[in-house]
Amino acid sequence: MDEDCCATQLIYGDGEFNADGLDRFVKEVKLTECGLSYAVVAIMGPQSSGKSTLLNHLFRTKFREMDAYSGRSQTTKGIWIAKCVGIEPCTIAMDLEGTDGRERGEDDTTFEKQSALFALAVSDIVLINMWCHDIGREQAANKPLLKTVFQVMMRLFSPRKTTLLFVIRDKTKTPFEYLEPVLREDIQKIWDGVPKPQAHKSTPLSEFFTVEVVALSSYEEKEEKFKEEVAQLRQRFFHSISPGGLAGDRRGVVPASGFSFSAQQIWKVIKENKDLDLPAHKVMVATVRCEEIANQKFKQLVHDEGWLALQEAVETGPVQGFGKRLSSILATYLSEYDMEAIYFDEGVRNSKRQLLESKALDFVYPAYSAMLGHLRSKALEDFQVRLEQSLNKGEGFASSVRTCAQSSMLEFEKGCADAAIQQANWDASKVREKLQRDIDAHASSVRGAKLAELNSNYEKKLSSSLSGPVEALLETGAKDTWASIRKLLNRETKVAVSEFSTAVANFELDNETVVKMKQHLKDYARNVVETKAREEAGKIMIHMKDRFAAVFNYDSDSMPRVWTGNEDIRSITKDARTASLKLLSTMAAIRLDEKPDNIENVLVSSLVDGTVTVSSSQNRKLGPSTDPLASSSWEEVSSKDTLITPVQCKSLWRQFKAETEYSVTQAISAQEAHKRSNNWLPPPWAIMAMIVLGFNEFMMLLKNPLYLMVLFVAFLLSKALWVQMDITGQFQHGALSGILSISSRFLPTVMNLLRKLAEEAQGNQTPEAQRRPVSLSSQSYRNETPQPNPVTSSFPESSVSSNISSSDTGMEYSSPPLRQRRTANVEEVESS
């Protein structure tokens, strides 16, 4: 066979369909590129009627022809197809096995009917080859063939209109004008005689067929004439599918790309002896082919280099022009699908296109989602950066959040528009809402941090402005201490709240929140004062002792007291203890609410005035004490405002008195020592007696100057001994200790003076003698300098505590370091 016609056996004689051969034929003739621009021409007729010869001359094919010299026998077995050479558009010639052949037998007409049905189903034009001398005969050879054609036509549901071209072979001298009416009449009779379904009982032949008749001369007797007439007939097949062309109805034609599958399925249905539903078959072919095309395009999309590059790029970050690039890629493959599936059933084509588009969009949606994720992250990051920059410039928080949020959302919207895909109407509202939530969450976080920082700053400011002054005020323990603290608290709180209100206005918070924050600041300020008060209350003993020392050891001019014996130690002690007690009453409770209380009066009356004292053994026998300090709470003072309970105050006062008793004792000792040091001369009455009784001796001295000179020298020597031995200093420790000290030092001192006098008389001063005046002068300076009280200077008042024991007659003070005991009157102790 010549490669131009590409003849291939489509169906073998045993009815097997050559699918592989048909696929090769379709590829060789490039049938799939034709779309709907192709036609199929089939030829039927009795065996050995010259069908193959007619096709070879008509379409320049190379079908096998019968060799007349070998006898008349079956030449074409099954069904063959070939491409018509030189015919436009592409035309496929189909050569069917002849009917009424002796090889299959008289009763074996199954394949004959099957091939006829197949030809009617796939062909646009059916050539029926018949002999001229059979026209008008009742038992002509063409009648069984026509009956077969009309019978199988009934098995086609909604068959398309097919052109039946009757080719009268070996025409005679009878004019064609007489032959054609007779032939048409015979055809009509055959049509009328064929059993038809109820729906087509009265359907005319013209509804199913377009009947055309041509006559050809004998090929053997008038070959040239035959070829000339065939050439004329060939011209009718050019552009046969055009409107008015030889081809019939084209509404049910299968696109060229689906011809192979369609033919295979049609033959399969025919072989199964089923009625052939051509419309359903058309849909079935369209479904299969459109699905194949869609799958092919989807695979191409998956491996598209542009898509792979875009997918890789979007994994790392946002891609500029993402939507346009992806839309272009999708449009390319959808357009290719449209081009390849354009000739298939519209409903099926559109349905498969929608599936392809949906599948492709589902495939690329993760990339689109990733793109939106990048846009959301970038917009959120930009919002965070812009907000921080705006706040650093000092702009208001709420206005900065609005401006930055609007800018970021606008940027996100632009990004979404750029990422939008033309083929999809994807909604980015969920990502937009998530971005808005993220922006709100970040703004809320920053707002919380800023407000916390602002609140912390004002808390620190309140702490610094309240802690020091409150501590100082509490240490003073004045009568108006708590009034001053309240005034300070109100002033500082008012200033802080005012400044805080101005600062927080930029946040545009709701009124309820602002009120709560202001109240928190007020509560914090109050808490600072209360905390400081509790802290200072914990150090009350130290403060009381300091207050006592300040009042007891210093006078009204803040000058240190010198116990000369003129001071009223009892009064001073009472004042000092009263001042300490006022300090205790001040720190006993928190008084920020201006509620009156009787704490100071109770403490003074109970502890200082002595109206209530510690119950003695006798009082215990009489009955229980009515001591107001025997309680764990103060009247008119809540427990939360109580710093020191009455019981604690009583205990503290006992401890305080015990620890300050030593200072009082030391002051008394110092005063007595001072008195003794100033009273070493005889009493005035003794001096007067000495003057009266020694008047005669005094007059004798005046009359005798020598005695006066002796007395003067004796005075000088006595003065020298007085200074050298520090008589005054020695007697400050007591008479007995002074006498013992003087007696032990008298003789060495006298010897030292005599030695000095001898050396001065001789005029020989030794180096030791040169140093003596210095020593003497330094000793004299030391003796002339007031000496501190050895008792008070040896022991700090806070390091010694006195043991107190009471009895019916008095109270003893025991100072272990001094090993001394002193008895005082009960009234003195109580009053002091």
Side-chain angles (χ1 to χ4, degrees), residues 26 31-38 254-260 343-344:
V26 170
L31 183 61
T32 56
E33 299 177 2
C34 298
L36 294 178
S37 299
Y38 77 100
V254 176
S257 61
F259 177 78
S260 176
Y343 300 114
F344 290 101

Side-chain angles (χ1 to χ4, degrees), residues 588-600:
I590 298 174
R591 300 173 176 86
L592 295 178
D593 297 327
E594 299 187 32
K595 294 180 180 179
D597 60 73
N598 201 29
I599 296 177
E600 183 177 355

Side-chain angles (χ1 to χ4, degrees), residues 46-62:
Q47 180 176 306
S48 303
S49 61
K51 299 185 299 300
S52 300
T53 302
L54 175 60
L55 291 178
N56 290 337
H57 284 82
L58 185 61
F59 301 119
R60 300 175 186 173
T61 55
K62 299 295 184 180

Side-chain angles (χ1 to χ4, degrees), residues 395-497:
E395 298 181 8
F397 181 84
S399 59
S400 298
V401 169
R402 281 195 300 271
T403 303
C404 296
Q406 290 175 359
S407 178
S408 296
M409 292 302 295
L410 180 60
E411 180 182 351
F412 176 76
E413 294 296 341
K414 290 182 179 179
C416 289
D418 180 72
I421 300 174
Q422 296 177 358
Q423 292 81 5
N425 189 23
W426 286 330
D427 186 11
S429 60
K430 291 185 178 180
V431 181
R432 186 182 299 106
E433 291 173 0
K434 189 176 188 309
L435 173 60
Q436 187 63 55
R437 290 196 301 269
D438 292 342
I439 288 176
D440 293 341
H442 180 73
S444 178
S445 175
V446 174
R447 182 189 299 110
K450 292 294 182 182
L451 289 175
E453 180 182 0
L454 187 65
N455 194 57
S456 177
N457 291 338
Y458 279 95
E459 286 180 355
K460 291 179 180 178
K461 186 175 180 181
L462 282 172
S463 296
S464 61
S465 62
L466 290 175
S467 296
V470 168
E471 181 178 357
L473 289 171
L474 289 174
E475 288 178 355
T476 59
K479 188 174 184 179
D480 61 343
T481 294
W482 282 106
S484 300
I485 291 176
R486 287 193 296 269
K487 184 177 180 181
L488 173 67
L489 175 62
N490 293 335
R491 183 179 69 251
E492 295 297 332
T493 303
K494 185 176 181 181
V495 172
V497 169

Side-chain angles (χ1 to χ4, degrees), residues 21 27 47 56 136 149 198 223 225 290 302 318 331 357 454 483 507 564 574 591-592 641 774 780 804 831:
K27 291 180 180 179
Q47 180 176 306
N56 290 337
V149 170
Q198 187 64 32
E223 183 176 354
K225 182 67 173 175
C290 289
V302 171
E357 186 175 356
L454 187 65
F507 290 87
T564 62
K574 184 175 181 180
R591 300 173 176 86
L592 295 178
D641 291 335
V774 177
S780 300
I804 306 174
S831 62

Side-chain angles (χ1 to χ4, degrees), residues 152-164:
V152 298
M153 179 62 71
M154 295 300 103
R155 294 179 58 188
L156 295 177
F157 290 92
S158 302
R160 59 188 179 128
K161 195 172 184 178
T162 306
T163 298
L164 293 180

Side-chain angles (χ1 to χ4, degrees), residues 129-146:
N129 202 36
M130 60 183 303
W131 301 108
C132 181
H133 54 72
D134 284 340
I135 297 175
R137 292 181 179 180
E138 188 66 27
Q139 301 297 328
N142 64 328
K143 286 191 176 182
L145 175 60
L146 289 176

